Amino acid sequence: MNAWTEPLRELAALTGMRANAGEPVEWETVASEFGFVPPDDYRALIDRHGSGAFGCYFDVHGPDDHLYPLERDLWNEYFKDEWEAEPEHAPKRAGARNATVVRWGGTEDAHVLVWLVEPGRPSREWLIGLQGHDGPECEYFEMSTVEFLLAFVKGELRSKLLHPFDSVEDAAYLQWSAIRSRQV
């Protein structure tokens, strides 16, 4: 069993995540397009539950989602420009400034969530970056994607930028594919 399996089960139970209603992701194609394989726990979340949003607020982007895709190029340049202009908001870990920045999520009020894909570092060790809606201030987290999401949903994420839901019940997970299938 993987270290993220139980946290993913807990996250799914707390937020009412359902089985993925969308098409399966071809991770080999994602790897060839991006030059890396996303973290195991993120892939499991997408494979089992699809991309979507917690409480219609906190978006989890999917590699095959046309409206909310994983994004690299725009965000990589943006963050590196921000770090150059205001180095106090750059990651402190050696090598992280050379990382490829990939947006994997965000909030409806413009918070941005990224992975810092460091060359030669396993995906389970990538930093998660959180930029507040006012930018360029950033916080960095040494935890997996699912651990981050679970801490946020449970109100246990230590962040000055991202405020928790009022209650876990407010964090219901809605899949984008299920939402779109109901639209006329």
Side-chain angles (χ1 to χ4, degrees), residues 32-171:
S32 67
E33 288 177 15
F34 280 84
F36 65 86
V37 177
D40 291 344
D41 65 329
Y42 168 81
R43 288 182 299 167
L45 183 147
I46 296 298
D47 285 344
R48 293 175 186 167
H49 306 290
S51 59
F54 292 97
C56 294
Y57 170 71
F58 189 110
D59 303 332
V60 176
H61 299 188
D64 58 347
D65 195 309
H66 300 292
L67 294 177
Y68 296 97
L70 291 178
E71 296 177 289
R72 176 188 57 200
D73 298 329
L74 167 71
W75 295 99
N76 193 50
E77 291 178 32
Y78 170 76
F79 271 81
K80 293 197 175 165
D81 288 347
E82 290 288 328
W83 296 341
E84 180 91 17
E86 299 189 49
E88 67 273 17
H89 299 300
K92 306 300 182 227
R93 183 163 84 187
R97 285 189 188 198
N98 298 323
T100 299
V101 179
V102 177
R103 183 176 184 183
W104 62 269
T107 67
E108 292 302 310
D109 55 355
H111 290 82
V112 176
L113 282 148
V114 298
W115 293 308
L116 301 184
V117 181
E118 294 179 58
R121 188 177 287 275
S123 62
R124 69 182 173 278
E125 296 178 9
W126 294 347
L127 289 175
I128 291 177
L130 167 66
Q131 186 177 63
H133 55 80
D134 294 330
E137 185 178 3
C138 272
E139 296 175 338
Y140 300 96
F141 301 88
E142 290 189 40
M143 55 182 37
S144 76
T145 306
V146 168
E147 289 171 339
F148 180 92
L149 294 170
L150 182 58
F152 173 67
V153 164
K154 292 172 71 174
E156 297 172 354
L157 186 69
R158 294 179 178 258
S159 173
K160 293 178 183 174
L161 301 176
L162 190 60
H163 301 290
F165 289 108
D166 291 334
S167 69
V168 171
E169 292 77 23
D170 294 338

Side-chain angles (χ1 to χ4, degrees), residues 4-23:
W4 49 262
T5 304
E6 191 52 42
L8 181 54
R9 283 187 189 141
E10 183 179 359
L11 179 65
L14 286 173
T15 62
M17 293 175 126
R18 296 194 171 144
N20 188 2
E23 295 295 318

